Amino acid sequence: PQAKLIFIISLFLGTTITISSNHWVMAWTGLEINTLAILPLISKSHHPRAVEAATKNFLVQATASTLVLFSSMTNAWYTGQWDITQLTHSTSSLILTAAISMKLGLAPFHFWFPEVLQGSPLTTGLLLSTVMKFPPITLLFMTSQSLNPSLLTVLAILSVAMGGWMGLNQTQTRKIMAFSSIAHLGWMTIILVYYPKLTLLNFYLYAMMTAAVFLTLNSMKVLKLSTLMTAWTKAPSLSTILLLTLLSLAGLPPLTGFLPKWLIIQELTKQDMAPAAMIISLLSLLGLFLDLRLAYCATITLPPHTTNHMKQWHINKPINPSIAVLTTLSIMLLPISPMLATMV
């Protein structure tokens, strides 16, 4: 427990260092602390798949960190500036975009993310999908005015497409959540240059909904869809919560997840990017199918009665209060969207 506490504190320390730094070297240091702190949390089960996931994560993050350092050094070489907001050299901003895309798992650099998530426990998967994404997003936010808009739009549309398509035939819940995450990152990236604060709002809401889903899956001990189908008899309330949160994550209207999509489409139309808005909206239907399939397995399918698996007891365990709070927020924030919009 002490070691785990140290790793989690280091994780938050690395994140804090990166998001509060002005100098590229400090930001890079924070990213490295982050990477090193998450590795033991991924590989703590000592299963070969967990060790493989930790190795893949380390290699990808180390490569991306090297590219971040390289891009900032190139920028400093040409402009004499080490400040994060002063990234003015075009080659540097291209290299930085590639590096941050690798760190985030944006397509076409997304291949490592589902594999790493599949090899990690659900709680570590939650950290990988939320906390580990925050420092790279803030770096993009701080350099947003000097990035290439057309490149980011292409990356975003690719991410939403790949996230939807590759998740269609998955049966493992962690992989489905990974592809859902890739698609959400596409939405965040497309608006980054035009309205950076909207990217952050989208990230906060995404992190909240993903945390609710991961914590629910964790308390139900669900790792694949077949387990999810039999979970209804064991924990009906949690299954109902999961259904609503997944629909919110898919972005269906009366729920919170609709808010960032709505604001992003509105802003893209204002920026004369209606075709991009149309393409990304159509591609997000793939992501909707993904989340609907999870929701369908969680609540609507009842397993056949002549099952050969062990009958699971219906246990009335109290629901974790954090799940209750996160789910409430994930479902009911749409009415206060004017307030959220004015905050950003």
Side-chain angles (χ1 to χ4, degrees):
Q2 284 88 356
K4 195 175 177 185
L5 185 68
I6 290 169
F7 295 137
I8 290 173
I9 290 172
S10 305
L11 195 66
F12 285 101
L13 173 73
T15 306
T16 314
I17 289 174
T18 303
I19 64 179
S20 57
S21 59
N22 285 321
H23 196 286
W24 273 115
V25 175
M26 280 303 285
W28 172 80
T29 311
L31 290 172
E32 285 300 305
I33 293 173
N34 238 350
T35 306
L36 293 174
I38 198 77
L39 291 177
L41 295 176
I42 298 174
S43 61
K44 72 168 186 276
S45 66
H46 299 299
H47 188 276
R49 173 162 275 175
V51 176
E52 181 191 339
T55 313
K56 282 179 181 170
N57 187 47
F58 172 71
L59 291 173
V60 171
Q61 300 287 350
T63 313
S65 295
T66 313
L67 280 176
V68 167
L69 206 53
F70 178 56
S71 101
S72 55
M73 281 168 70
T74 314
N75 187 61
W77 179 264
Y78 281 102
T79 62
Q81 280 288 351
W82 277 102
D83 197 296
I84 292 181
T85 49
Q86 304 294 321
L87 190 83
T88 46
H89 192 247
S90 56
T91 316
S92 297
S93 59
L94 279 176
I95 298 170
L96 182 82
T97 310
I100 300 288
S101 303
M102 278 177 87
K103 275 209 165 290
L104 287 173
L106 274 174
F109 306 105
H110 63 286
F111 291 102
W112 64 275
F113 187 54
E115 297 295 325
V116 169
L117 214 61
Q118 178 59 29
S120 317
L122 279 167
T123 41
T124 311
L126 166 63
L127 289 175
L128 277 168
S129 306
T130 54
V131 180
M132 290 291 285
K133 300 271 192 255
F134 191 39
I137 288 263
T138 49
L139 285 180
L140 278 183
F141 176 79
M142 287 190 275
T143 55
S144 58
Q145 75 286 349
S146 53
L147 298 174
N148 184 343
S150 45
L151 173 67
L152 284 176
T153 307
V154 170
L155 286 178
I157 289 174
L158 258 178
S159 295
V160 178
M162 297 308 285
W165 261 318
M166 293 180 72
L168 288 183
N169 57 353
Q170 298 295 336
T171 56
Q172 301 284 336
T173 48
R174 285 169 293 186
K175 274 197 174 169
I176 292 177
M177 290 306 295
F179 288 118
S180 163
S181 170
I182 292 166
H184 275 274
L185 284 165
W187 279 90
M188 290 173 219
T189 315
I190 199 164
I191 200 67
L192 182 76
V193 176
Y194 308 104
Y195 200 163
K197 287 185 176 173
L198 200 48
T199 299
L200 281 187
L201 175 71
N202 192 348
F203 177 76
Y204 297 145
L205 294 177
Y206 153 78
M208 195 172 67
M209 295 182 289
T210 308
V213 172
F214 266 110
L215 289 171
T216 312
L217 291 175
N218 188 42
S219 60
M220 288 159 73
K221 301 282 180 285
V222 169
L223 295 178
K224 51 185 189 290
L225 289 184
S226 54
T227 326
L228 194 56
M229 285 181 181
T230 59
W232 174 250
T233 48
K234 192 172 67 165
S237 52
L238 276 176
S239 295
T240 317
I241 281 175
L242 188 64
L243 165 79
L244 288 167
T245 320
L246 283 166
L247 292 182
S248 181
L249 198 60
L252 285 183
L255 307 167
T256 308
F258 177 59
L259 164 65
K261 286 190 167 58
W262 177 21
L263 292 176
I264 286 171
I265 290 170
Q266 190 179 337
E267 189 60 34
L268 284 175
T269 324
K270 278 184 196 166
Q271 301 285 350
D272 289 336
M273 287 181 66
M278 189 185 75
I279 292 169
I280 203 168
S281 308
L282 287 174
L283 285 173
S284 72
L285 290 175
L286 292 166
L288 171 66
F289 175 77
L290 216 111
D291 290 322
L292 272 179
R293 196 159 129 247
L294 265 177
Y296 184 85
C297 286
T299 51
I300 303 168
T301 51
L302 282 175
H305 291 296
T306 55
T307 45
N308 53 7
H309 64 80
M310 292 287 287
K311 186 72 181 143
Q312 286 172 326
W313 286 96
H314 185 142
I315 307 164
N316 282 327
K317 271 197 308 186
I319 294 180
N320 185 345
S322 56
I323 296 180
V325 172
L326 284 168
T327 308
T328 313
L329 290 173
S330 306
I331 297 168
M332 297 182 181
L333 280 190
L334 195 67
I336 63 160
S337 52
M339 189 177 89
L340 291 173
T342 49
M343 277 163 62
V344 301

